[in-house]
Amino acid sequence: MSNPIPGPDSLLALAFPSDPQISPDGQRVAFVLARVEEEDPQKPDKEFAKPRYKTHLWLSDGGPATQLTQGEGRDSSPRWSPDGATLAFVRASKGQGGQLHLLPVNGGEARPVTEFKGAVQDLQFSPDGRSLAFLSTGDDEDKRDERGEARVITRPRYRFNGRDWLPERPARLWHYDIGADKLSEWHAPETEINSYAWQPDSGGVLFVSSTDELRATQGQQEVYRLPLNGTPEQVTHWNSGIGTLILHPDGGRFVLVGRPEGKGSPENSHLFLVEADGSWRRLDEQHDHGVGNMVGGDCHVGALPEKPVWLDDKTLLFSSTVRGSCGLFRVTLDGKVTAQDHDAQAVIPSFTASGSSVALIRERADRFPEVELNGKTVTALHDRLTFPVRTPERVTFQNELGEGEGWALLPEGEAKVPAILTIHGGPHTDYGHAFMHEFQLFAARGYGVCYSNPRGSAGYGQAWVDEIHGRWGGPDMDDLINFFDRCLEACPRLDGSRSAVMGGSYGGFMTNWITGHTTRFQAAITDRSICNLLSFGGTSDIGLRFWDDELGLNFHRRADALKLWDLSPLQYVEDVKTPTLIVHSVLDHRCPIEQAEQWYAALTLHGVPARFVRFPEENHELSRAGRPDRRIKRLEEYLGWLEQWLKE
């Protein structure tokens, strides 16, 4: 820890673990480690540094992890063969999309299997080890933009955050016969396959897709059965969102993670057991918390699997967000839920399991994410931090539903410090006990960071989430301001006369909303924000359904238009006086950049000091997984704005 006052470039020293995959015997873990290096270490550009993520596979048998793959390629998605002798993985190199490779674990060179023009994803060995399945667009190419050709749109969903233009044909399911070294296209779906799983007898798969493109945009999905030699058969009439599915060991039943018909994004995801006859019941009825990790962190680069796993034929292991934490829980077929590994002060963002053995990543607000195998930490990534970390202080607030909570992260010393209220996205995500480099950086630079989970956040039960349905900017704003006031009371070092409000995505919406309804903050930073709910509906990749889910309204209905305008920060821009930094990414299709453009134009016309920073090639995930140099520039802009408006 050589630099007690870090800069944004402290990010460069970090290494980010992801995708921990436990071996079938439970004695080893393979995972991905992303490090930041020059794009071409052999030819560094002295005038323009080009730090980029480089990813390799690492391996541990319970001792300190060692690097398994080498080279300039980006390696990811390690998957164990059932006998534990081989790792399938994806390697991207020389501008080509990631291709399937097979690597003998105990020695030998990686062997390429595919040479597609498109990338390979979602690798899965069959249970008998004879086959591999994966998804890919194969040799499809789209060079219309490169050739300057017109792009004709006929489908309701054609762009998506992180992917830009969607392919004309969805990725196909491929089958690789390992013994015969034979690769073949298995199934070409009409709409995208969102998830799939092998049947226990290796006779085929079950997959999740939609009956047509319009239903896909509405999050209405079904489960299909696909034999090795045959055509798909629809096995559910779910008509709602399905995140993933887990086949029971008997092969006849399965559990899906999703929401029942009629429930949209405000509904927590739960476990539903679907019987062979199609009947179903919620398995985690006793557990009023969603399945999966919803606690945000900015040190998650790469895949973070959290698919539930059958420990035996009666017990399912799953992760769940509880208040500001995420842990592992067991549920039995009779619906009994018990904690297996739940630390109320920690977050497990990813895990895999085999029998009684578990590989996972664990982090705390003051501890960088580390990989664990059967309770033993096998990495030492926290040691790479170049500055000492601070531990946040819990601060509570009250509302009509009871007690809410948040945290204040203060710098060292006794002096008064500027106060920042930061607001998470979602809105149905969570702040909590995940490590936040950004917050630690701000605290180390002399700012007090206040962050909380207002009504609408995940982790506090369904009633807490439902409280803001149709009421964005109401109970949530009340909680945020109430919490900030409690922080000022509990932490006298916080200087309320030098304060800023900031947030991204929904947090950007709330930042815009708050500055249109109060002038108490001296600065604002709005990142990947929303200001106009009407135009968002027709431009966002989730716009066709999102306001129906969240507000019971939609932009294409005349009766709803004025109500959506009433909920738009842009209507109140004449009341904004707060100097505002606007940060947005050009390829953000979740909260399109036209939202930032409208907000900047309106602030400018009203004489509000404003600065607009646009990032090329980045999407909605810039702050968490964007290119390292751009993440650094973003943090520099944040600190520069805070320095300009809050420092004495």
Side-chain angles (χ1 to χ4, degrees):
M1 298 184 181
S2 59
N3 182 10
I5 305 178
D9 61 356
S10 59
L11 186 76
L12 298 177
L14 305 182
F16 307 95
S18 65
D19 212 352
Q21 294 289 327
I22 196 164
S23 61
D25 63 4
Q27 300 304 304
R28 293 174 292 180
V29 58
F31 62 94
V32 179
L33 194 65
R35 293 180 289 188
V36 181
E37 300 177 6
E38 277 296 297
E39 186 173 48
D40 186 350
Q42 306 302 318
K43 299 178 182 179
D45 187 333
K46 295 181 180 179
E47 297 183 357
F48 179 42
K50 297 179 181 178
R52 302 290 186 268
Y53 294 118
K54 298 293 180 66
T55 60
H56 295 101
L57 306 187
W58 287 61
L59 185 67
S60 171
D61 60 3
T66 57
Q67 188 169 334
L68 183 62
T69 62
Q70 309 288 333
E72 291 303 307
R74 298 186 307 278
D75 299 336
S76 62
S77 305
R79 297 296 182 266
W80 292 92
S81 62
D83 63 5
T86 304
L87 273 175
F89 70 98
V90 172
R91 170 168 289 171
S93 59
K94 299 178 181 178
Q96 183 185 36
Q99 301 299 306
L100 171 61
H101 287 65
L102 296 178
L103 175 67
V105 177
N106 295 322
E109 295 296 321
R111 175 173 67 87
V113 175
T114 61
E115 294 182 354
F116 291 143
K117 294 175 181 176
V120 166
Q121 60 187 349
D122 202 355
L123 317 178
Q124 294 188 36
F125 276 98
S126 61
D128 63 12
R130 297 177 179 176
S131 305
L132 258 170
F134 60 87
L135 294 170
S136 177
T137 55
D139 284 327
D140 290 358
E141 279 191 298
D142 186 349
K143 293 190 174 183
R144 283 174 290 183
D145 289 349
E146 183 180 324
R147 292 192 291 254
E149 295 179 4
R151 186 176 290 273
V152 179
I153 307 299
T154 60
R155 295 174 298 158
R157 183 174 60 170
Y158 53 91
R159 297 185 95 173
F160 203 78
N161 186 67
R163 299 170 62 186
D164 202 13
W165 296 110
L166 294 177
E168 287 295 300
R169 293 197 299 164
R172 273 84 71 200
L173 185 65
W174 296 77
H175 179 269
Y176 177 58
D177 185 322
I178 299 172
D181 191 25
K182 181 181 179 182
L183 181 64
S184 57
E185 185 179 301
W186 187 359
H187 175 58
E190 292 295 320
T191 61
E192 286 193 345
I193 293 176
N194 305 106
S195 173
Y196 76 94
W198 280 96
Q199 293 178 296
D201 65 359
S202 301
V205 297
L206 266 63
F207 68 84
V208 176
S209 190
S210 299
T211 56
D212 58 58
E213 281 287 344
L214 186 57
R215 285 184 173 86
T217 66
Q218 301 300 311
Q220 297 171 353
Q221 297 162 324
E222 304 295 344
V223 176
Y224 298 80
R225 180 176 289 108
L226 176 66
L228 278 175
N229 297 295
T231 57
E233 172 192 4
Q234 185 174 332
V235 298
T236 64
H237 295 280
W238 193 250
N239 203 35
S240 188
I242 300 173
T244 190
L245 54 88
I246 313 97
L247 273 78
H248 187 271
D250 66 16
R253 303 178 277 180
F254 60 88
V255 167
L256 61 82
V257 178
R259 305 176 178 95
E261 186 173 359
K263 299 292 186 179
S265 55
E267 181 79 6
N268 288 327
S269 292
H270 289 291
L271 301 167
F272 297 89
L273 178 66
V274 182
E275 301 287 353
D277 63 3
S279 62
W280 58 269
R281 60 186 171 91
R282 183 176 150 191
L283 200 56
D284 59 343
E285 193 73 47
Q286 298 178 10
H287 190 66
D288 190 23
H289 299 284
V291 174
N293 175 45
M294 301 301 292
V295 185
D298 63 358
C299 294
H300 300 160
V301 177
L304 296 169
E306 52 183 3
K307 182 177 180 178
V309 178
W310 288 102
L311 300 179
D312 54 44
D313 61 0
K314 297 182 178 63
T315 310
L316 190 69
L317 182 68
F318 67 100
S319 62
S320 180
T321 300
V322 179
R323 302 184 72 82
S325 68
C326 181
L328 301 183
F329 296 80
R330 294 170 176 245
V331 61
T332 55
L333 289 177
D334 61 6
K336 183 180 180 181
V337 177
T338 55
Q340 170 164 308
D341 185 351
H342 176 220
D343 179 347
Q345 306 297 315
V347 171
I348 298 175
S350 183
F351 82 98
T352 55
S354 179
S356 60
S357 298
V358 180
L360 55 83
I361 295 173
R362 192 190 309 270
E363 62 187 310
R364 294 180 174 83
D366 56 4
R367 189 73 184 172
F368 195 81
E370 304 279 11
V371 179
E372 295 182 15
L373 175 63
N374 296 325
K376 294 181 180 180
T377 303
V378 302
T379 53
L381 304 175
H382 187 86
D383 296 345
R384 299 174 67 98
L385 292 170
T386 58
F387 58 92
V389 300
R390 305 286 294 166
T391 301
E393 175 182 339
R394 184 172 179 264
V395 178
T396 62
F397 61 93
Q398 297 291 323
N399 60 35
E400 295 87 338
L401 295 182
E403 182 183 82
E405 68 175 344
W407 297 267
L409 186 68
L410 270 66
E412 293 183 1
E414 302 297 329
K416 280 268 192 178
V417 296
I420 299 170
L421 172 63
T422 184
I423 307 167
H424 67 62
H428 314 305
T429 61
D430 210 24
Y431 272 149
H433 303 288
F435 187 87
M436 293 287 290
H437 170 265
E438 180 176 312
F439 292 178
Q440 293 287 343
L441 173 64
F442 292 161
R445 295 292 290 262
Y447 299 95
V449 185
C450 305
Y451 53 104
S452 69
N453 291 319
R455 280 171 284 182
S457 303
Y460 298 82
Q462 191 62 51
W464 193 270
V465 173
D466 291 342
E467 188 72 1
I468 68 165
H469 184 265
R471 300 202 293 163
W472 282 28
D476 42 2
M477 178 174 167
D478 292 343
D479 284 355
L480 288 163
I481 298 300
N482 185 9
F483 162 72
F484 190 61
D485 288 339
R486 301 291 78 74
C487 286
L488 297 178
E489 292 175 359
C491 307
R493 292 179 58 206
L494 293 173
D495 186 350
S497 67
R498 291 183 294 150
S499 63
V501 59
M502 65 174 63
S505 195
Y506 161 81
F509 162 88
M510 282 304 307
T511 297
N512 298 342
W513 182 268
I514 286 172
T515 56
H517 289 78
T518 178
T519 57
R520 67 176 292 174
F521 295 97
Q522 286 69 55
I525 302 176
T526 185
D527 200 326
R528 58 195 185 279
S529 75
I530 301 171
C531 71
N532 184 339
L533 275 59
L534 284 163
S535 64
F536 172 92
T539 56
S540 169
D541 60 358
I542 59 173
L544 297 186
R545 64 170 178 83
F546 192 64
W547 296 138
D548 269 321
D549 284 356
E550 293 292 333
L551 306 174
L553 306 169
N554 215 323
F555 75 103
H556 61 86
R557 293 192 289 262
R558 182 184 300 124
D560 294 347
L562 290 179
K563 297 175 184 177
L564 286 170
W565 182 240
D566 285 341
L567 291 168
S568 296
L570 193 59
Q571 185 186 170
Y572 308 96
V573 72
E574 292 176 90
D575 300 319
V576 176
K577 309 299 180 186
T578 310
T580 302
L581 172 67
I582 302 169
V583 176
H584 221 105
S585 296
V586 172
L587 294 182
D588 188 338
H589 298 312
R590 186 61 37 86
C591 297
I593 197 167
E594 58 91 18
Q595 295 285 313
E597 291 167 343
Q598 290 186 70
W599 195 241
Y600 178 69
L603 292 178
T604 300
L605 288 171
H606 287 286
V608 178
R611 179 179 175 89
F612 184 12
V613 183
R614 299 166 62 104
F615 285 92
E617 300 176 343
E618 297 292 343
N619 59 59
H620 200 65
E621 302 304 311
L622 168 63
S623 65
R624 298 175 281 254
R627 209 172 77 178
D629 55 332
R630 293 173 183 151
R631 289 182 67 178
I632 290 170
K633 173 63 175 175
R634 172 183 171 274
L635 292 171
E636 289 173 346
E637 289 288 342
Y638 270 54
L639 289 170
W641 195 252
L642 295 173
E643 177 79 20
Q644 178 178 348
W645 295 101
L646 299 189
K647 287 292 188 177
E648 291 179 321

